[in-house]
Amino acid sequence: MSAAQHESDEIAAIRQAVQALCEKFPGEYWRALDRERAYPTEFVEALTKAGFLAALIPEQYGGSGLSMGAAIAIMEEIQANGCNGAACHAQMYVMGTLLRHGSPEQKQKFLPSIARGELRLQAFGVTEPTSGTDTLNLRTTAVRDNDHYVVNGQKIWTSRVEHSDLMLLLARTTPREQAQKRTEGLSVFLVDMREARGRGLTIRPIRTMMNHATTEVFFDDLRVPAENLIGREGQGFHYILSGMNAERILIAAECIGDAKWFIGRASGYARERNVFGRPIGQNQGVQFPIARAYAQMRGAELMVHEAAGLYEAGRDCGAEANMAKLLAADASWAAADMCVQTHGGFGFAEEFDIERKFRETRLYQVAPISTNLILSYLAEHVLRLPRSY
């Protein structure tokens, strides 16, 4: 049996296992959480116990040691089965910064506990109210004070902080005007929020149109041990960039899963719903949007797999990861809109789950990076057009 065939069988088995797990968390589970804006603790614990959230942690640290191909299959299946992986997806990619750039001591201290589910590393403190995605202009500072850094500033849209033990934090350690290069002077820290809460760390939830457990976080003279600095001081921007490709690929896979869910629901309804004595799916006005959504999803899916293949091979995949996220987000949003239109009034009814998934998938036109910024990236770095910002 070839290695490719073996991997296909392995991924097929993973898909089946994820599907079986998701069946235990049907639509009514998610609807109840959505009404209360509550966190899916039981779902996250089940994923953790099954080893899915440790997919990309090497076996030497107690993880599953799976490929990126397996990881995207996990995230896609979660979404395709009506669940919401956004509640915990950061656990799969945030740890990459620690894995690639952390010291041996840091990796041994944290990764095994993360893999076992004893620690949750799900929070990523980067975005700020004044800078948004202009990361190089962030204002949160970390000043060295003997064996600690003192952190002051604010982050926003920092999701899952209230349900995470650790946070990956990007802060400025060198004033921008003193940095030798524009991309230097930022550093990455691993913040233990179990110790930080009430000691300089304040969390304020933000209620949003979807149940996303997002917050703004305030740092007031928070002391972080110097041993929690990841890598070299001042090189943090480069460290987080190396993890953003994985983030884009995994979230693109979620979008593909969403698109498949919407297409499946729309197709099933169009076959069964009879109006004027015939199934509505017999009408081209209903058929064509579903078929177009399917074609759009399949094209995006191919780009996701291309980006994942390049990532696994250790090759530069910045353009492909960004295109995968762009195309997949567009495909999921188009499929969501089509699904609502196919169902008519029932598309707005809570019990069908369509309006919930519609709200959830809309997020990916904006996060973790706006589709417009992806177009700017492609224009500048692939097409060599003048920088627009």
Side-chain angles (χ1 to χ4, degrees):
M1 180 182 293
S2 68
Q5 181 64 41
H6 175 74
E7 184 180 52
S8 297
D9 290 344
E10 178 187 49
I11 291 177
I14 289 171
R15 288 185 182 276
Q16 291 176 356
V18 174
Q19 182 177 357
L21 186 151
C22 290
E23 287 176 354
K24 300 175 183 177
F25 299 91
E28 51 265 32
Y29 171 81
W30 296 99
R31 290 194 293 272
L33 293 172
D34 191 64
R35 294 186 202 109
E36 303 298 325
R37 293 296 191 266
Y39 187 74
T41 300
E42 300 85 0
F43 178 69
V44 175
E45 288 178 348
L47 287 174
T48 303
K49 185 176 180 180
F52 293 135
L53 296 187
L56 297 177
I57 297 178
E59 291 181 357
Q60 70 183 95
Y61 297 112
S64 302
L66 299 176
S67 65
M68 177 57 78
I72 64 174
I74 291 169
M75 301 315 299
E76 179 192 311
E77 284 298 321
I78 288 173
Q79 304 300 116
N81 284 278
C83 299
N84 187 6
C88 51
H89 58 197
Q91 183 102 345
M92 293 182 71
Y93 57 77
V94 170
M95 67 85 204
T97 299
L98 172 62
L99 178 64
R100 284 186 295 272
H101 305 289
S103 68
E105 293 77 16
Q106 289 172 332
K107 288 186 278 190
Q108 194 58 54
K109 179 179 179 181
F110 294 109
L111 287 176
S113 296
I114 293 171
R116 290 192 298 267
E118 297 169 0
L119 287 178
R120 287 183 182 171
L121 172 56
Q122 299 185 161
F124 195 21
V126 176
T127 306
E128 298 185 0
T130 58
S131 59
T133 49
D134 186 6
T135 304
L136 295 176
N137 274 327
L138 63 79
R139 298 181 180 180
T140 297
T141 60
V143 179
R144 184 70 182 257
D145 180 25
N146 297 318
D147 58 351
H148 282 76
Y149 283 86
V150 180
V151 180
N152 284 281
Q154 179 184 358
K155 298 294 181 179
I156 197 168
W157 310 124
T158 309
S159 302
R160 299 163 298 273
V161 172
E162 297 174 291
H163 308 282
S164 185
D165 301 304
L166 305 172
M167 173 172 58
L168 205 64
L169 173 68
L170 185 67
R172 182 164 291 284
T173 46
T174 301
R176 183 171 179 178
E177 60 274 13
Q178 296 179 20
Q180 295 183 352
K181 295 181 180 179
R182 184 169 177 265
T183 55
E184 295 183 350
L186 301 174
S187 301
V188 176
F189 300 89
L190 200 58
V191 178
D192 190 331
M193 291 185 295
R194 298 167 300 175
E195 299 176 356
R197 286 186 177 91
R199 299 180 181 177
L201 176 70
T202 303
I203 301 170
R204 183 179 300 166
I206 302 174
R207 190 173 177 88
T208 58
M209 68 182 286
M210 77 291 291
N211 183 20
H212 199 65
T214 197
T215 68
E216 53 185 336
V217 184
F218 300 88
F219 305 93
D220 297 294
D221 291 332
L222 174 67
R223 297 182 68 82
V224 177
E227 64 185 25
N228 284 19
L229 170 71
I230 294 180
R232 293 170 51 201
E233 183 181 293
Q235 299 301 307
F237 182 70
H238 303 287
Y239 298 159
I240 66 164
L241 278 183
S242 65
M244 285 182 174
N245 287 335
E247 176 188 46
R248 282 151 176 61
I249 294 169
L250 288 167
I251 288 180
E254 291 183 45
C255 291
I256 296 299
D258 275 344
K260 290 183 176 181
W261 187 90
F262 286 118
I263 292 166
R265 284 300 180 95
S267 298
Y269 185 77
R271 286 190 295 268
E272 297 170 2
R273 174 67 167 166
N274 280 276
V275 179
F276 300 115
R278 56 191 280 164
I280 63 172
Q282 191 173 344
N283 303 313
Q284 291 180 342
V286 175
Q287 286 182 358
F288 286 2
I290 301 175
R292 183 177 294 276
Y294 177 78
Q296 192 172 353
M297 177 276 294
R298 285 290 289 129
E301 185 178 34
L302 292 174
M303 181 56 73
V304 173
H305 285 280
E306 179 176 350
L310 291 171
Y311 182 91
E312 287 180 3
R315 296 171 59 188
D316 179 20
C317 63
E320 289 77 11
N322 275 284
M323 286 189 287
K325 194 271 177 182
L326 169 73
L327 296 174
D330 284 349
S332 66
W333 180 233
D337 187 61
M338 172 278 297
C339 191
V340 170
Q341 195 70 21
T342 302
H343 282 76
F346 291 112
F348 297 91
E350 182 188 65
E351 66 182 286
F352 280 71
D353 292 310
I354 296 167
E355 61 85 26
R356 170 179 63 84
K357 294 281 282 183
F358 180 92
R359 287 183 281 113
E360 290 171 358
T361 209
R362 180 59 178 85
L363 173 65
Y364 298 120
Q365 290 288 314
V366 176
I369 183 172
S370 165
T371 52
N372 287 336
L373 278 176
I374 291 178
L375 294 173
S376 293
Y377 173 91
L378 295 173
E380 178 185 353
H381 296 283
V382 178
L383 302 175
R384 305 302 179 193
L385 295 173
R387 184 182 177 90
S388 63
Y389 59 92

